[in-house]
Amino acid sequence: MTDHDRIEELLTLEALGALEDEDAAALAAALEEHGPDCSECPRLRRETGDVAGRLAFALDPVAVSVSIREDILSAGPRKLLRRVLVLRRGLVAVAAAILVILGAVGGYLLVPRPQTDLAALAGFLSRPDVRVVQFEGAEGNVSAAVAPREGFLFASNLQPPPEGRVYELWMIRGKTPVRGLCVEPRDGVVVARFEGLVTASDALAITVESASCPTSPTTEPIFVAPLQA
């Protein structure tokens, strides 16, 4: 991770109003170290703020469940404060996952496109049976949100595949790969849903394949994400 990657993460939290005192001090120190001559830091702050603002309008309101309303109405001050903090952290985690993993700067929301995939991703990330795994490998930030029978692949800063080629996602159990989906990045970004016995797999892998999307890999994986501890 580069120093600007860390600054970008902290600025994302700042834009979401979720910067703790320790992180605020780390951000101030990093910005001071870069100094007033760094053109990248102000750009990151402007763009993370812009993306956070767009995110607020990209998602539909979600009704509070009856159980949460009853808890709030019956709670004493201390219990209520704890409940609010837990809820806030959950919402911030969802928003931060979208902004950071998609690479907010340069980002996804700054490119005109339908917002249905973003709303679907946000809803998916808020589910209790979903966890996020990160891929290791070639250049790019690649992650997947996974549930037992479906998932979302989302990535930023991906290099375009060679002409006539695509990225293909595989769910691997033992030595058997099962095709998940084929995708091509748009402006380095991918957001795509896939189905299968996801969390029963041992790992997820991405290869570069022909545009015909073969039913088994023909090249070695360039990204891999283990699913089992």
Side-chain angles (χ1 to χ4, degrees), residues 196-214:
L197 298 176
V198 183
T199 55
S201 302
D202 297 314
L204 299 176
I206 296 174
T207 60
V208 177
E209 304 291 347
S210 69
S212 63
C213 299

Side-chain angles (χ1 to χ4, degrees), residues 16-190:
L16 293 168
L19 202 63
E20 302 289 346
D21 290 343
E22 182 179 348
D23 289 332
L27 175 59
L31 293 174
E32 183 177 359
E33 180 180 351
H34 280 226
D37 294 332
C38 178
S39 61
E40 184 73 0
C41 291
R43 184 184 70 82
L44 292 177
R45 174 167 268 160
R46 286 194 305 272
E47 293 186 351
T48 50
D50 189 12
V51 171
R54 290 171 185 249
L55 179 64
F57 293 99
L59 306 178
D60 294 329
V62 177
V64 177
S65 70
V66 173
S67 63
I68 292 177
R69 289 202 302 269
E70 290 176 351
D71 282 354
I72 291 174
L73 291 174
S74 63
R78 290 182 181 274
K79 182 180 177 183
L80 176 59
L81 178 59
R82 286 197 299 270
R83 187 62 185 255
V84 169
L85 287 174
V86 168
L87 288 172
R88 181 174 181 274
R89 286 176 187 139
L91 293 172
V92 166
V94 170
I98 294 170
L99 291 177
V100 174
I101 299 174
L102 288 180
V105 288
Y108 180 75
L109 290 177
L110 299 180
V111 179
R113 68 185 70 212
Q115 294 179 340
T116 53
D117 50 356
L118 176 64
L121 174 58
F124 189 74
L125 284 167
S126 69
R127 285 171 41 176
D129 62 337
V130 169
R131 61 189 176 98
V132 174
V133 296
Q134 292 184 306
F135 288 76
E136 296 182 355
E139 182 179 353
N141 303 316
V142 184
S143 299
V146 296
R149 294 183 175 273
E150 58 183 327
F152 264 91
L153 178 70
F154 44 115
S156 65
N157 300 324
L158 276 179
Q159 296 298 313
E163 184 72 24
R165 312 282 280 181
V166 295
Y167 290 115
E168 190 159 4
L169 174 71
W170 307 92
M171 293 166 282
I172 300 175
R173 189 169 187 178
K175 295 184 178 181
T176 305
V178 177
R179 182 171 57 188
L181 77 157
C182 287
V183 292
E184 290 185 71
R186 178 180 175 184
D187 301 310
V189 171
V190 166

